[in-house]
Amino acid sequence: MVDPSDVAAVVNVGDDTEFHGLTVCPDLDTITYTLAGAVNPDTGWGLAGETWAALGSLRRHARANERADVGWFALGDLDLGTHLWRAHRLAEGARLTEVTAEITRTFGLGLRLLPVTDDPIRTKVTTPDGATLTFQEYFVRERHEVDVASVRFSGAVGARPTPEATIALRDAAAVIIAPSNPVVSVGPVLAVPGITQGLTSRRDTVVAVSPIVGGMALKGPAARLMENLGEEASVVGVARRYAPFARALVIDPIDAHLAGAVGEVGIEPIVAPSIMDTPDHAAALARVCLAGRAL
Amino acid sequence: MVDPSDVAAVVNVGDDTEFHGLTVCPDLDTITYTLAGAVNPDTGWGLAGETWAALGSLRRHARANERADVGWFALGDLDLGTHLWRAHRLAEGARLTEVTAEITRTFGLGLRLLPVTDDPIRTKVTTPDGATLTFQEYFVRERHEVDVASVRFSGAVGARPTPEATIALRDAAAVIIAPSNPVVSVGPVLAVPGITQGLTSRRDTVVAVSPIVGGMALKGPAARLMENLGEEASVVGVARRYAPFARALVIDPIDAHLAGAVGEVGIEPIVAPSIMDTPDHAAALARVCLAGRAL
């Protein structure tokens, strides 16, 4: 097995947003809380045992002042403590990478969680009627129930990958692209200058896992987004995105009939169970990925 | 009696401070919570029924990362909702005056609460050994148990009084200077350019109440601060501060023997009970003040 301290996760920051003075990093925090066993089991985000007094108070102000647009994002009291810590440290000049290491330390995590960049990247979604939404407005407020005409990663062009992320992606024995949303979760990571090139240069050791199984996203709007953007909402569509910089793509047995089509777009299909519904299945998938790189 | 909507309170903002990304306004909030009957009766600040989950979470991060200097200011969950609202509105470009009106609206207050200025003023306290503290570091963290060599109001010189405060102080039938700390509560209000001059120009209708009774401050460090600054910690010291712009000073019967000395420094002493331990006593004191202006 792999020691947690030997594992680094390079994480999307395009979901980050400013709420009421605080910088909220949903991807980083959800990973931290989940790996620490502290995530709210009912929601899959936020903290177990959460209370909502601050949000209730904020919403009371919003109601009294007829601002229905304020307070739609659910910030729990315990979660707010994390955001207050992050705001405090960022105001002191700490890098997001440092603050993230501190938060994972609080939760006793062994692995390193590395924001792909310390620069602000903000995923923006434009709808067919021309409205531009922040990622959280799209994902949480609109429950990703709107069509999307385009997605852009504001700030990505000028962002620099962190030294830590650069070294991790350069020196790791293997790079696994998790079964995340290729457009809005993996996309902002790849959009940081140097990241895609870095993966391409070590393509033989990069293995991706398809988040699309049987034509549907395991969760979230990956399939609808890919369709909206004119891509195929299947393992083949995922393969087209990843082929330039990944050697192999793990596809679920339910998609075994598409293995040939995946191979034809230039990435090696690995047919293996890919649904991480138990820790054992997750560990097995990790082993498949590690075995799937060229050695 | 006076209708609450005819009353405006011009309020000190020198106690304001930034905590973890949020602007905290202890004077404005404590007045709001108190007048709304929502103040925590045990502490005299914060909200009744408060919970502390966010602060506990913040302190957990501080402990895990050996930052004992973070999290000493007690921010309750309900109170945080107010600060989140304020941060949200200030980030939208609202003036502090507007945000304060919104917060008092939430709490159903009738009177107008007017920050003396929308510009940031920050009271700074320097100790004899040369350390400079923010007001909350001095007042809360150090429990005002340190000696003070000097007090300054950072930002005051360039601050402008709000139109609302200016008009209120110009047009009011009477101005009452509450029995607050003359140095660090009334001082930052008077330090805003134009405020002292405005009071001076209508001196006949300005009545102050001494916060020093029997040589002791009713609460807080007023007496010790005045001593530190080389002033007399008595109604006479208070009289010296207020004589240039106030016609009369209410002193408690316990200080009746100092009425002559008060008069000698140029302000008319009004001997009357000044301790507001019940609503009836507070109302009586208000009547004394209103009667104390020249008509």
Side-chain angles (χ1 to χ4, degrees), chain B residues 98 106 116 125 156 205 211 215 252 262 290:
Chain B
E98 300 173 84
T106 302
V116 62
V125 167
T205 53
D252 201 72
V262 166
L290 290 173

Side-chain angles (χ1 to χ4, degrees), chain A residues 180-270:
Chain A
S180 289
N181 189 313
V183 180
V184 292
S185 297
V186 180
V189 174
L190 298 172
V192 174
I195 297 296
T196 302
Q197 295 90 320
L199 293 180
T200 304
S201 71
R202 58 170 296 171
R203 183 178 182 279
D204 272 359
T205 53
V206 177
V207 177
V209 181
S210 176
I212 307 270
V213 173
M216 294 189 299
L218 285 175
K219 66 175 183 178
R224 180 170 178 167
L225 263 180
M226 292 179 76
E227 272 168 24
N228 281 176
L229 298 177
E231 302 175 40
E232 192 175 320
S234 73
V235 292
V236 181
V238 176
R240 284 204 183 91
R241 281 199 164 241
Y242 292 161
F245 47 80
R247 178 185 174 274
L249 179 67
V250 177
I251 66 175
D252 201 72
I254 202 173
D255 288 314
H257 63 289
L258 293 172
V262 165
E264 277 168 26
V265 305
I267 188 169
E268 182 186 322
I270 300 175

Side-chain angles (χ1 to χ4, degrees), chain B residues 15-228:
Chain B
D15 293 17
D16 295 1
T17 195
E18 275 70 43
F19 279 115
H20 328 300
L22 305 175
T23 299
V24 176
C25 302
D27 271 16
L28 288 166
D29 290 350
T30 299
I31 294 171
T32 300
Y33 297 165
T34 301
L35 293 178
V39 76
N40 185 323
D42 299 325
T43 56
W45 51 266
L47 284 158
E50 190 58 281
T51 55
W52 305 93
L55 184 68
S57 171
L58 173 65
R59 287 177 171 169
R60 189 181 168 209
H61 287 294
R63 271 197 310 277
N65 293 284
E66 299 178 7
R67 284 293 301 269
D69 60 315
V70 176
W72 52 267
F73 192 83
L75 292 164
D77 299 324
L78 293 169
D79 194 30
L80 268 172
T82 296
H83 306 318
L84 292 169
W85 173 261
R86 183 185 290 117
H88 188 96
R89 295 286 293 124
L90 291 177
E92 288 183 335
R95 297 189 298 131
L96 182 61
T97 298
E98 300 173 84
V99 182
T100 302
E102 293 163 356
I103 293 169
T104 57
R105 185 176 303 131
T106 302
F107 283 93
L109 290 197
L111 94 175
R112 281 171 300 143
L113 216 56
L114 303 177
V116 62
T117 176
D118 290 322
D119 300 319
I121 293 183
R122 300 291 181 263
T123 300
K124 300 284 172 65
V125 167
T126 302
T127 61
D129 61 3
T132 295
L133 308 178
T134 68
F135 182 76
Q136 297 304 329
E137 287 171 343
Y138 161 71
F139 193 76
V140 175
R141 196 187 68 194
E142 304 300 331
R143 297 189 183 86
H144 52 78
E145 287 170 357
V146 294
D147 280 323
V148 170
S150 66
V151 175
R152 65 190 166 88
F153 308 117
S154 176
V157 170
R160 292 153 305 166
T162 67
E164 293 87 345
T166 301
I167 291 169
L169 289 176
R170 187 191 67 197
D171 295 348
V175 174
I176 301 172
I177 299 176
S180 289
N181 189 313
V183 182
V184 292
S185 297
V186 180
V189 175
L190 298 172
V192 174
I195 297 296
T196 302
Q197 296 89 320
L199 293 180
T200 304
S201 72
R202 57 168 299 170
R203 183 179 182 279
D204 273 358
T205 53
V206 177
V207 177
V209 181
S210 176
I212 307 269
V213 173
M216 293 191 298
L218 286 174
K219 65 175 184 178
R224 179 170 179 166
L225 263 181
M226 292 180 75
E227 271 169 23
N228 280 174

Side-chain angles (χ1 to χ4, degrees), chain A residues 20 57 65 67 78 92 105, chain B residues 57 65 67 78 92 105:
Chain A
H20 328 301
S57 171
N65 292 285
R67 284 292 301 268
L78 293 171
E92 288 183 332
R105 184 176 303 131
Chain B
S57 171
N65 293 284
R67 284 293 301 269
L78 293 169
E92 288 183 335
R105 185 176 303 131

Side-chain angles (χ1 to χ4, degrees), chain A residues 128-151:
Chain A
D129 61 5
T132 295
L133 309 178
T134 68
F135 182 76
Q136 297 303 329
E137 287 172 343
Y138 161 72
F139 193 76
V140 175
R141 194 187 70 195
E142 304 300 331
R143 300 189 183 83
H144 52 77
E145 287 170 356
V146 295
D147 280 322
V148 170
S150 65
V151 175

